[in-house]
Amino acid sequence: SQGKPASKREDTHADPFAAVAKKYWQTAEAAKQFSPQVVEDIYAELKQAHFGSKRLNALEFSHYLENYLWPHFMPAASAAHVLSIVLMVNEKFLDQTPAWKTFQAQPAEFPAFIARIYALCLTASSEVSMQE
């Protein structure tokens, strides 16, 4: 109806990330075909949008963390991949959605993930800004 704001669900379906999600991680077959460049591109868009909540919510709604980021995490993952996981976990907490189930289902890489966060936070480099 006219005059009513769009629901969160309608907002997420209208977001350009919805098409990316459908192509890369919303089916089991698509999720097998991992492309690190997709993560880099999404992170660059989020950064350009100053990590806006609508964009992050669209990714959360599409199960970006569960279906794409975490299943394809490796200790040598890029800073964008690691920080994308952090962003999605934060978004889950903001939405009051259980955040740790993803890691419990696939716990083997969790210590390496924490080590990567630690290294990114303490390493002086141009790879990560203070805003990130």
Side-chain angles (χ1 to χ4, degrees):
S1 66
Q2 291 182 337
K4 287 180 71 176
S7 72
K8 198 179 246 190
R9 183 174 292 233
E10 288 168 346
D11 284 347
T12 58
H13 285 301
D15 189 282
F17 286 148
V20 176
K22 187 174 181 179
K23 181 176 180 181
Y24 288 99
W25 66 80
Q26 285 194 319
T27 67
E29 193 58 37
K32 291 178 190 175
Q33 306 300 318
F34 180 69
S35 170
Q37 191 59 51
V38 170
V39 175
E40 297 295 322
D41 293 347
I42 289 172
Y43 188 78
E45 283 190 48
L46 290 171
K47 188 174 176 180
Q48 185 176 11
H50 305 285
F51 305 103
S53 62
K54 280 188 176 183
R55 305 306 309 275
L56 289 167
N57 193 268
L59 288 168
E60 162 53 23
F61 185 76
S62 74
H63 303 285
Y64 185 42
L65 173 65
E66 300 90 333
N67 294 346
Y68 205 64
L69 292 172
W70 189 243
H72 297 288
F73 173 79
M74 296 184 311
S78 70
H81 194 136
V82 173
L83 294 173
S84 293
I85 292 171
V86 171
L87 285 168
M88 292 295 95
V89 169
N90 187 57
E91 187 65 22
K92 284 185 171 297
F93 278 110
L94 291 173
D95 287 346
Q96 298 179 346
T97 304
W100 301 117
K101 286 183 179 182
T102 301
F103 303 110
Q104 290 170 334
Q106 205 175 342
E109 296 296 343
F110 194 75
F113 170 66
I114 297 299
R116 285 285 285 130
I117 294 170
Y118 182 74
L120 287 170
C121 290
L122 297 180
T123 303
S125 80
S126 61
E127 190 175 18
V128 179
S129 70
M130 286 303 281
Q131 178 191 12
E132 295 170 278

